[in-house]
Amino acid sequence: MNVIGTRNQKSFWLPLISGTICITLLLGVYGLWCLQARLIKNVGETLSLMASHIASTLDRELHHIYGDMEILVLTPLIQGNDLPAITRHFAAIKQSSPLYHWIGIAEPEGQILASTDGAMVGKNVSHLGVFQTAHDQRRMAIHEGWPSEEFGEDQIVAFAIPPIDPPDVLQRILLVSISPSSLEEVFDHAQQSTPFREQSHVSIEWQLITQSGQPLLSSVVKKQRDGSLPELDQPSVQLVTTGNQGFIQETHPHRDVPVLTGFASTKGHKDIPGSRWGVQVSMDQKNFLPPIQQLSVKMTVVGGMMVLPLWGLLWWTTRRCECEKQTAALAEAQYRSIFEKAKEGIFQTTAEGQYFRANTALASLFGFQSPQELIEHLTLLDQQLYTDPTRRTEFQRMIKEQGSVEGFVSQIIRQDGTLRWISENAHAVHDAKGDLLYYEGTVEDITEQKQTEEDRDRFFSLSLDILCIARPDGFLKRLNPVLPKILGFTPQALLSRPFFDFVYPDDRVATQAALQQLVEGQEVIDFENRYVCHDGSTRWIQWRATPVDEAGLIYAVARDVTERKLAEDERLKLMEQLSQAQKLQAVGSLASGIAHDFNNILTAIIGYTDLARICLSEKKSAETQLREVLVAGQRGRELVKQILSFSRQEKTDHQPVKLQEIIEESLTLVRATLPPTIEIRQHNGSPAAIILADSTEMYRVLMNLCTNASQAMADSGGVLEVNVDEVETISSSSVPPSELLPVPHIRLTVRDTGIGMPPGIQDHIFDPFFTTKNNEQGTGLGLSVVHGIISNHGGTIHVESAMGTGTAFQIYLPIHKGSSVVPQSLKVPTSKGQEHILFIDDDEALCHLGKEILEHLGYQVLTQTCSLQALEVFRQTPQAFDLVMTDDNIPAMTGQELIGEFKKIKADIPIILCSGSIQDHSEAELRRLGIQARLFKPIGVNELAESIRQVLDATLNPG
Amino acid sequence: MGRILLIEDDPQVRSLIREVLERAHHEVVEAINGIEGEKIFRSTPTDLIVMDILMPEKEGLETIRNLRVDFPHIKIIAISGGLPHFPIDLLALAKKFGACRTMLKPMEIDALQKIVEEEIGKDHFSDRSERKCTS
């Protein structure tokens, strides 16, 4: 509003200045006009005086002539005939006035008898009007106009006077010619006496006009061809011929310019009609008016130059003012609209608490129908509005001290008696002197907010969990009663010190890190630390907190998890104990398993030894019993080997291999051993999948699982399925093991349709020495070895079985992203031969398999399942064999013993020992025993072929 | 001289016991596990059963229990090589289940022979308390 006021003042000054300039200009113009009128008057009067002066001069001269004439006509001389005397007399008279041109006397007939100008004598002037008038009317007459050419161009015959003596006899007529040049002299002389004489640029024109209006002499108009002057039609001519004197502004008859003409008439002679001449003196107005006109023009131009911009400015300012007025009006309308439509209440009150302005929102908030009703009814705020009357006093005190209040919260009573909470923002408005005029501000209904706050506070207090607001500097800003209750400190104590002081010293570093995490904008979830209670005990607190917000605050919830932690510790202890117990149980199982097997072996040894003793005491052969003792001893040794093998499950070198190729290879071996009642079905959903594995160990796994499956179906036959597919662990519900890494896995399933396992057995199948087989079928270490291998490969094995339906082993192995290395066993066997080989293995199926493979490689093969029989065959025809391949674990005789026997028969027979388990034989020991090569089961075809070829070649070419 | 059913999964032990018993002129019928043994006994009951406890397919305890239900007077000698007290005392259990005698492997053949003779020689109809194991 102040801005608009300033603009109004500007707009006031502009018209004032321009008005003043205009008035000044008008006054100037008026002054100029007056000055010009005055000048015209002065000049006119001067010209008039000049004309009058000329007229007077003419009158005086002419009257002199008139007198001379009147006297002369009475002179008898002129009546006589002495013409020379007359001429002399006339000459004398002529000397008396410069106006005389010539003086002459004519006969009544008109012939000039005598004259001062001899040239005129004898001329007849009877045709002249003046002569005729004088002749006819016997009185003095004056010629108006120029005489004829016969009197000369520059001569004028002014008048003729008839001498009358006797009165009725006209004897002669006196003629007087007045010199025009003499008249001009009069004018010139008169001009010399005027104020203009020194102004060279001022030209004054004059005219002598006859009473009839004919010009006699003129500097204005030029003579016509006949020597006469043209008639004039000027107002001044009209005026002067009527005998007036004065001046007049008129137009120049020829040049068409404004002139100022002074005029006066001669008095003339009373007896001579037409003797009253008019004198005109003219001056161009430009001779005296230009300075004033120029001044006037200059003033107009300057004034215009001054006024026009001012007018422009005035116009612009006016327009702008209009715009501003419109803007102001619009703004006013907008403000009014805001005022009226605002959701907040807006008010102005007197210092005493009387509303004098309020909007609809305020009226509505206070429960009135309209602002007017509010203003009328609400006269004492402290009494009528506030539930606590002191709030008004407080409000006034705060405004007085601070100049304004913000968020001043109070409870009010509405007109209908209901209570509301309001928040006021207000300030005092003062006048220029600083005196308080009124208060103005806004009112907001915060009842719901207040209710929400109350709800929040109530929940804050009621919460079973710790709720608190903290600052990054480590101080708690607000907290509910839970933490004080847990720790036994007062809230004030907890708020007055950094909360680190209460944190258990060992946990402070972690707490500081968690706080730093919050400061860096990361959420803290389930952070746990210990707090020291007032009584010195510690409590575990679990925290969840939001990062530091814009206001620099951290909101945290927490709970006392001490009981849970204790329970957890207890659980861990129990778990540990359980684990320990399970370990012990496992050791116990192992020991029990070993003991069981060993006791069987010892039973055989002791029993057969006893029997042998009995036989010997009866003088009978004890060989059979002793052999049994030996076999039992060998069983014991084998058992020890297997235990050692189990205990040496080491992580081997894993290479990327295609699982499918291992499967193919294994199934080739398995297929050869299976009875025809068992069908093999194979499906690979991920044939290109590569795993990081030791291919030999994977063969072992597959062989073991397939053997188990085939044994489960040995009686009834069935289907052996080997399936491979790819699974996404975690996401797949079909993947039970939770210990797998979240990467894609290969699932190898070996399923049989055999007898299945009861749940109690399933839980123990991977335990060492757990077996459902009789001793002829295995030791019970197989699945535990499988389990160990799969674990070493980062995988897991799972079994599903149902009685009568079958069993499925599922092996999960992580997929390797990369290319595979072809397992050595899969190289196309190129090493072949035709040599004779004795192949010994107690397992008939393996014998059969070995025979097939070796014959496939081109060799001649004889297989033996019994070591003694094999030895016997060899003993009979040792030359028939080029090579002996023997299992090192054959009943009745170990492989090594057997080899020893072979060497006794044929020392250079090459031996390949096939071993089912790791043994402690060093290479040197093998050489000492005469073993050329040792192969570990299961043996790949290629490995077998290569090894045989190498051994045979080395034997044929020992160098 | 009696007819004895020998249930033992270990072939060598089975072979040994068979030889020992046959030397004492007993007739021996072999079975390699509880199922087979039970089957044989139910078809042709024998005078005595010498039975291992830890066997695949069907172990000894269950076999003893089953047979004891149907043949209350059955005479069973249980033998086992398992640890005597870990995880459970199998032989004690075997007694509770109804074995009249028990032997821990490895045993002396004389001792085995002796208790076999004792059990064979006992009256089939003597009361249960008399059949209580003495070993």
Side-chain angles (χ1 to χ4, degrees):
Chain A
M1 294 305 286
N2 286 336
V3 174
I4 293 168
T6 309
R7 284 175 182 169
N8 276 343
Q9 285 167 13
K10 280 181 186 171
S11 64
F12 169 75
W13 279 109
L14 272 170
L16 187 67
I17 292 167
S18 46
T20 308
I21 290 171
C22 283
I23 290 166
T24 310
L25 277 172
L26 285 173
L27 286 172
V29 169
Y30 176 71
L32 282 174
W33 180 78
C34 289
L35 187 64
Q36 183 176 333
R38 186 80 177 214
L39 190 63
I40 287 168
K41 190 185 170 193
N42 287 346
V43 173
E45 282 175 350
T46 305
L47 291 171
S48 176
L49 280 173
M50 188 177 162
S52 179
H53 173 69
I54 293 168
S56 301
T57 308
L58 284 174
D59 265 335
R60 192 171 59 244
E61 292 298 327
L62 286 170
H63 274 283
H64 178 78
I65 292 171
Y66 294 150
D68 285 350
M69 292 302 108
E70 281 170 350
I71 295 166
L72 195 59
V73 292
L74 294 173
T75 309
L77 181 65
I78 64 167
Q79 304 288 341
N81 292 317
D82 187 356
L83 292 173
I86 292 172
T87 302
R88 283 193 301 275
H89 190 65
F90 281 173
I93 292 169
K94 186 179 177 262
Q95 293 300 319
S96 64
S97 174
L99 288 181
Y100 286 116
H101 189 222
W102 52 266
I103 302 168
I105 192 158
E107 291 178 20
E109 288 79 21
Q111 190 171 13
I112 295 174
L113 294 173
S115 173
T116 55
D117 186 357
M120 299 302 293
V121 179
K123 289 187 178 178
N124 190 333
V125 292
S126 61
H127 60 281
L128 291 178
V130 67
F131 181 82
Q132 288 172 357
T133 305
H135 180 276
D136 295 346
Q137 295 180 10
R138 309 286 175 90
R139 63 173 180 87
M140 197 182 297
I142 192 160
H143 183 78
E144 295 179 351
W146 296 104
S148 62
E149 289 177 1
E150 58 192 322
F151 297 103
E153 282 185 5
D154 54 350
Q155 289 182 334
I156 181 166
V157 176
F159 49 86
I161 304 167
I164 299 169
D165 190 23
D168 53 350
V169 178
L170 180 63
Q171 293 177 351
R172 296 198 181 155
I173 290 177
L174 185 66
L175 294 170
V176 174
S177 171
I178 295 170
S179 168
S181 58
S182 303
L183 287 173
E184 284 172 6
E185 278 178 17
V186 171
F187 278 94
D188 289 341
H189 183 71
Q191 191 175 346
Q192 290 299 316
S193 63
T194 63
F196 309 114
R197 64 183 179 277
E198 290 171 358
Q199 296 178 13
S200 59
H201 64 282
V202 175
S203 65
I204 294 174
E205 293 176 334
W206 48 264
Q207 287 185 114
L208 186 63
I209 300 163
T210 66
Q211 198 170 345
S212 63
Q214 287 295 320
L216 274 177
L217 286 169
S218 177
S219 67
V220 179
V221 292
K222 291 179 179 177
K223 288 178 183 175
Q224 294 179 350
R225 285 186 178 176
D226 58 357
S228 67
L229 289 163
E231 284 190 12
L232 295 170
D233 184 20
Q234 287 176 272
S236 56
V237 174
Q238 299 292 330
L239 289 167
V240 82
T241 51
T242 53
N244 288 311
Q245 182 180 341
F247 63 91
I248 190 169
Q249 286 176 282
E250 58 187 5
T251 308
H252 195 282
H254 298 294
R255 287 186 285 116
D256 201 21
V257 293
V259 292
L260 188 62
T261 306
F263 55 88
S265 61
T266 58
K267 290 175 182 169
H269 195 283
K270 63 180 190 301
D271 295 330
I272 307 172
S275 63
R276 204 171 60 196
W277 293 347
V279 175
Q280 278 184 317
V281 181
S282 299
M283 182 190 280
D284 283 0
Q285 288 191 12
K286 67 178 183 185
N287 288 334
F288 60 90
L289 284 181
I292 292 174
Q293 284 175 339
Q294 283 172 10
L295 191 61
S296 176
V297 167
K298 281 178 185 170
M299 280 184 71
T300 309
V301 169
V302 170
M305 285 173 69
M306 289 174 71
V307 169
L308 277 175
L310 277 171
W311 278 353
L313 190 63
L314 186 62
W315 175 81
W316 179 76
T317 312
T318 311
R319 192 179 164 81
R320 190 166 167 189
C321 282
E322 284 297 319
C323 288
E324 281 172 353
K325 276 181 189 169
Q326 285 176 4
T327 310
L330 189 64
E332 175 71 19
Q334 285 171 346
Y335 282 129
R336 181 150 290 281
S337 174
I338 291 168
F339 180 78
E340 290 300 335
K341 292 177 183 170
K343 289 191 176 174
E344 285 184 332
I346 304 173
F347 67 85
Q348 287 174 329
T349 67
T350 64
E352 292 75 32
Q354 170 64 53
Y355 280 94
F356 63 89
R357 200 162 180 214
N359 67 349
T360 313
L362 190 74
S364 174
L365 174 57
F366 289 173
F368 292 100
Q369 294 293 324
S370 67
Q372 194 57 39
E373 190 186 340
L374 182 151
I375 291 166
E376 284 171 7
H377 285 82
L378 210 57
T379 50
L380 287 170
L381 289 185
D382 51 350
Q383 301 295 327
Q384 291 176 282
L385 187 63
Y386 295 99
T387 51
D388 176 6
T390 59
R391 291 303 283 167
R392 177 67 189 175
T393 321
E394 177 68 10
F395 177 83
Q396 286 170 317
R397 186 189 63 76
M398 284 177 74
I399 283 201
K400 194 176 176 184
E401 287 176 2
Q402 302 164 13
S404 63
V405 290
E406 279 185 17
F408 186 81
V409 176
S410 330
Q411 196 180 34
I412 58 155
I413 310 168
R414 292 176 86 242
Q415 191 64 6
D416 60 6
T418 56
L419 300 177
R420 307 292 285 180
W421 282 96
I422 59 165
S423 169
E424 288 179 88
N425 296 322
H427 61 268
V429 179
H430 299 91
D431 61 12
K433 295 176 190 170
D435 294 335
L436 176 64
L437 290 176
Y438 55 87
Y439 301 135
E440 65 179 14
T442 58
V443 181
E444 193 183 353
D445 184 355
I446 56 161
T447 310
E448 285 182 14
Q449 185 186 335
K450 195 83 180 167
Q451 185 62 44
T452 308
E453 281 173 13
E454 280 178 12
D455 292 349
R456 187 195 61 201
D457 289 348
R458 218 163 279 169
F459 282 127
F460 195 76
S461 304
L462 273 175
S463 171
L464 287 173
D465 285 334
I466 300 160
L467 301 176
C468 68
I469 302 168
R471 294 196 305 256
D473 61 4
F475 276 89
L476 293 172
K477 184 171 178 280
R478 193 178 171 194
L479 80 166
N480 71 343
V482 180
L483 189 63
K485 196 175 170 188
I486 291 170
L487 298 183
F489 289 103
T490 62
Q492 291 71 28
L494 290 168
L495 291 170
S496 62
R497 287 159 60 191
F499 58 77
F500 284 106
D501 290 0
F502 301 96
V503 176
Y504 187 68
D506 288 358
D507 294 349
R508 281 179 191 166
V509 173
T511 306
Q512 182 64 50
L515 183 63
Q516 184 60 30
Q517 193 179 332
L518 292 171
V519 170
E520 287 168 2
Q522 294 172 0
E523 207 173 5
V524 163
I525 294 174
D526 298 341
F527 169 71
E528 291 175 351
N529 60 1
R530 279 165 293 180
Y531 275 72
V532 182
C533 301
H534 190 256
D535 61 5
S537 61
T538 56
R539 303 296 292 178
W540 277 98
I541 309 289
Q542 184 187 32
W543 293 92
R544 190 168 284 208
T546 57
V548 179
D549 65 5
E550 294 83 358
L553 295 175
I554 298 162
Y555 291 82
V557 293
R559 61 179 55 159
D560 183 355
V561 293
T562 311
E563 304 308 326
R564 194 205 73 201
K565 290 290 277 190
L566 290 176
E568 232 171 55
D569 289 350
E570 190 63 27
R571 191 174 63 85
L572 283 174
K573 273 183 200 165
L574 285 172
M575 287 290 286
E576 206 171 320
Q577 286 171 3
L578 182 63
S579 173
Q580 197 62 29
Q582 281 174 338
K583 275 184 199 166
L584 286 172
Q585 190 184 6
V587 171
S589 295
L590 187 68
S592 179
I594 294 167
H596 175 258
D597 280 19
F598 263 107
N599 281 334
N600 275 342
I601 291 163
L602 290 173
T603 303
I605 291 170
I606 293 166
Y608 276 114
T609 308
D610 255 355
L611 284 177
R613 189 176 50 81
I614 291 165
C615 285
L616 289 173
S617 66
E618 291 169 354
K619 307 290 182 195
K620 290 178 183 171
S621 169
E623 188 183 346
T624 312
Q625 286 76 20
L626 288 177
R627 190 169 291 155
E628 287 296 329
V629 173
L630 191 61
V631 168
Q634 285 167 343
R635 281 179 66 196
R637 185 175 63 186
E638 188 61 27
L639 184 61
V640 170
K641 277 183 206 166
Q642 290 198 12
I643 292 164
L644 289 174
S645 173
F646 171 74
S647 65
R648 285 183 192 171
Q649 286 174 20
E650 290 170 355
K651 193 155 188 170
T652 47
D653 187 23
H654 294 171
Q655 288 187 315
V657 290
K658 276 189 182 174
L659 182 61
Q660 175 63 13
E661 289 169 355
I662 295 170
I663 293 168
E664 295 280 354
E665 184 78 4
S666 305
L667 288 182
T668 306
L669 293 174
V670 169
R671 202 170 275 121
T673 63
L674 288 184
T677 52
I678 296 174
E679 180 196 349
I680 295 181
R681 287 182 195 162
Q682 193 199 347
H683 172 73
N684 195 336
S686 182
I690 293 165
I691 55 167
L692 271 182
D694 180 322
S695 49
T696 307
E697 289 195 328
M698 293 312 294
Y699 288 134
R700 188 181 292 179
V701 167
L702 272 161
M703 290 301 290
N704 189 297
L705 293 180
C706 290
T707 306
N708 280 343
S710 67
Q711 285 172 353
M713 299 183 287
D715 296 336
S716 55
V719 178
L720 168 62
E721 263 185 75
V722 180
N723 296 331
V724 177
D725 59 348
E726 210 170 301
V727 288
E728 292 289 335
T729 55
I730 306 304
S731 62
S732 171
S733 60
S734 65
V735 182
S738 58
E739 63 267 29
L740 291 184
L741 293 171
V743 295
H745 278 66
I746 274 287
R747 177 170 55 189
L748 166 66
T749 308
V750 178
R751 188 191 307 277
D752 65 59
T753 55
I755 51 176
M757 289 182 280
I761 288 178
Q762 287 179 36
D763 296 341
H764 297 286
I765 55 167
F766 298 115
D767 293 350
F769 287 105
F770 182 87
T771 183
T772 58
K773 300 170 190 172
N774 58 44
N775 280 21
E776 289 165 340
Q777 289 178 302
T779 59
L781 282 170
L783 279 176
S784 67
V785 172
V786 165
H787 188 272
I789 290 171
I790 297 302
S791 298
N792 276 347
H793 282 73
T796 185
I797 185 164
H798 174 68
V799 64
E800 284 174 2
S801 185
M803 291 300 288
T805 308
T807 303
F809 284 92
Q810 291 175 329
I811 293 171
Y812 294 87
L813 290 164
I815 292 175
H816 174 69
K817 302 288 178 193
S819 56
S820 68
V821 172
V822 178
Q824 200 172 359
S825 62
L826 289 179
K827 289 172 189 167
V828 179
T830 51
S831 306
K832 297 184 177 182
Q834 289 90 38
E835 286 86 351
H836 287 77
I837 298 171
L838 178 60
F839 189 93
I840 307 156
D841 198 306
D842 63 333
D843 190 321
E844 205 165 328
L846 284 180
C847 274
H848 180 69
L849 173 67
K851 183 177 169 68
E852 273 197 6
I853 293 169
L854 293 174
E855 283 179 353
H856 179 74
L857 293 171
Y859 297 104
Q860 308 288 316
V861 184
L862 179 68
T863 57
Q864 286 292 327
T865 53
C866 172
S867 55
L868 296 173
Q869 280 180 9
L871 198 59
E872 195 55 40
V873 167
F874 187 75
R875 200 190 303 278
Q876 286 169 8
T877 54
Q879 294 77 21
F881 300 100
D882 301 308
L883 174 71
V884 173
M885 284 188 73
T886 179
D887 187 15
D888 79 338
N889 183 20
I890 305 165
M893 195 179 282
T894 67
Q896 288 173 35
E897 287 167 349
L898 190 62
I899 288 161
E901 293 299 316
F902 280 124
K903 289 286 177 183
K904 283 177 189 169
I905 297 163
K906 187 181 178 183
D908 60 346
I909 184 76
I911 307 283
I912 294 177
L913 183 68
C914 300
S915 179
S917 59
I918 300 163
Q919 297 188 0
D920 283 336
H921 300 308
S922 64
E923 291 295 323
E925 200 174 351
L926 290 174
R927 277 198 298 277
R928 186 181 58 77
L929 290 168
I931 296 167
Q932 273 66 32
R934 180 178 54 175
L935 299 174
F936 292 104
K937 288 180 183 176
I939 306 159
V941 175
N942 195 56
E943 188 188 6
L944 182 66
E946 288 289 331
S947 191
I948 290 170
R949 196 64 260 159
Q950 276 177 13
V951 169
L952 286 172
D953 290 348
T955 312
L956 290 172
N957 308 298
Chain B
M1 179 179 162
R3 192 162 175 269
I4 300 168
L5 173 60
L6 172 60
I7 309 173
E8 168 65 63
D9 66 320
D10 189 301
Q12 209 178 12
V13 174
R14 196 167 64 236
S15 169
L16 171 70
I17 295 173
R18 182 191 184 96
E19 193 173 340
V20 169
L21 294 177
E22 281 179 349
R23 276 177 174 271
H25 310 290
H26 296 294
E27 186 191 343
V28 178
V29 185
E30 283 185 19
I32 60 165
N33 58 38
I35 295 172
E36 203 178 311
E38 209 178 314
K39 203 172 161 185
I40 291 169
F41 190 86
R42 285 180 191 280
S43 63
T44 50
T46 56
D47 300 326
L48 179 68
I49 298 175
V50 177
M51 185 194 285
D52 191 15
I53 301 295
L54 288 175
M55 290 181 295
E57 305 291 337
K58 192 168 189 175
E59 39 70 38
L61 295 177
E62 191 183 356
T63 311
I64 293 169
R65 194 185 60 187
N66 290 348
L67 289 173
R68 177 64 70 191
V69 170
D70 296 330
F71 307 94
H73 305 295
I74 193 169
K75 289 190 253 182
I76 298 170
I77 300 171
I79 51 176
S80 176
L83 288 181
H85 300 293
F86 186 87
I88 44 172
D89 188 343
L90 286 172
L91 292 177
L93 271 180
K95 268 193 176 177
K96 284 186 179 172
F97 274 63
C100 53
R101 305 294 283 264
T102 59
M103 285 196 89
L104 190 64
K105 289 181 186 174
M107 67 285 185
E108 304 289 331
I109 56 168
D110 289 346
L112 175 65
Q113 204 168 347
K114 190 182 170 212
I115 62 167
V116 167
E117 295 307 326
E118 282 174 8
E119 290 302 317
I120 290 284
K122 276 183 184 170
D123 185 354
H124 288 203
F125 302 101
S126 60
D127 70 24
R128 196 178 171 100
S129 61
E130 288 176 19
R131 293 200 307 272
K132 287 286 179 181
C133 299
T134 54
S135 64

